[in-house]
Amino acid sequence: MKFIHLSDTHLLARDDLSRPPHAGETLRAVIAEINEYHADAEICVITGDITHHGRPEQYDHAVELFATLAMPFIIIPGNHDIREPMLAAFPETPSDENGFINHGQTIGGIRFVMLDTIVPDAHHGTLCDARFDWLKRELANHRDLPTFLFMHHPPLDMGLPFLDSIRMDADVELAAILKDNPQIKHIFLGHLHRPSNGIWQGIPFNVGGSSQKGEPFDMRHEKEEELVERAPLKPMFGIVLTDPSGNVRYHYETVQFD
Ligand SMILES: [Fe+2]
């Protein structure tokens, strides 16, 4: 089974040229590549920062572009998103009883669990008691299925001081849940705008690249305005091959965009 991992599309309104490269144009190029070579994918999972400011006209742009994907898609928010306009634009996206954009579904024998880690008006992420309660129930209801977790914010320091300062802060609580739920096979993340991977608490993870532009690879500076760009990344997406056992092969693909 193949699925596509898109992240950090950072869309502005269609005619807004204020943050180059134009995120709509880079996403068009990414989707063209996905549709030409990966139209056989079961689903496209989009791990947040769909828009740059969470404005309705930016979500309108997202609706228009995501509709051109050759396969269905599912979404969670990132720190640049705002729940209410996001759900208004994508009314088919489920949310839980507390309004968090948490949802799960079974695809190809795998449970895809999508977690809302955002904190309104902040860039770091968290999971609060209500969200952990939802996650525990979701996992208990599908304990027999290999499970992938998707969330925008990484739950660990990656050695990138700026991004580490805005990671998901409830790592101890999440680690305990991973320990109790060995059916969790893999974690898919966003937020870093970089093709990164590793193992956390014994669980492998991949961070999706941004379909717009990469974050500087800067292991020295903590302030965003001080980051030094050494080798700009191209617009990027992930191709994931899996099977009913939850094995994962993750390919990062870039598209040419000048
Ligand atoms: Fe982002």
Side-chain angles (χ1 to χ4, degrees), residues 174-190:
L174 181 59
I177 289 177
L178 295 181
K179 203 170 167 206
D180 290 343
N181 289 275
Q183 77 271 29
I184 298 171
K185 302 297 186 193
H186 208 98
I187 304 174
F188 297 88
L189 304 161

Side-chain angles (χ1 to χ4, degrees), residues 90-103:
F90 295 99
E92 68 285 0
T93 296
S95 55
D96 70 15
E97 69 275 17
N98 296 305
F100 296 112
I101 305 176
N102 294 322
H103 47 107

Side-chain angles (χ1 to χ4, degrees), residues 107-140:
I107 306 166
I110 306 278
R111 194 70 185 165
F112 283 54
V113 176
M114 309 283 289
L115 291 174
D116 172 341
T117 54
I118 67 174
V119 178
D121 303 316
H123 284 298
H124 74 285
T126 200
L127 287 168
C128 52
D129 289 348
R131 282 176 273 190
F132 278 125
D133 286 346
W134 180 90
L135 177 59
K136 286 178 192 166
R137 269 184 280 130
E138 160 63 35
L139 292 168

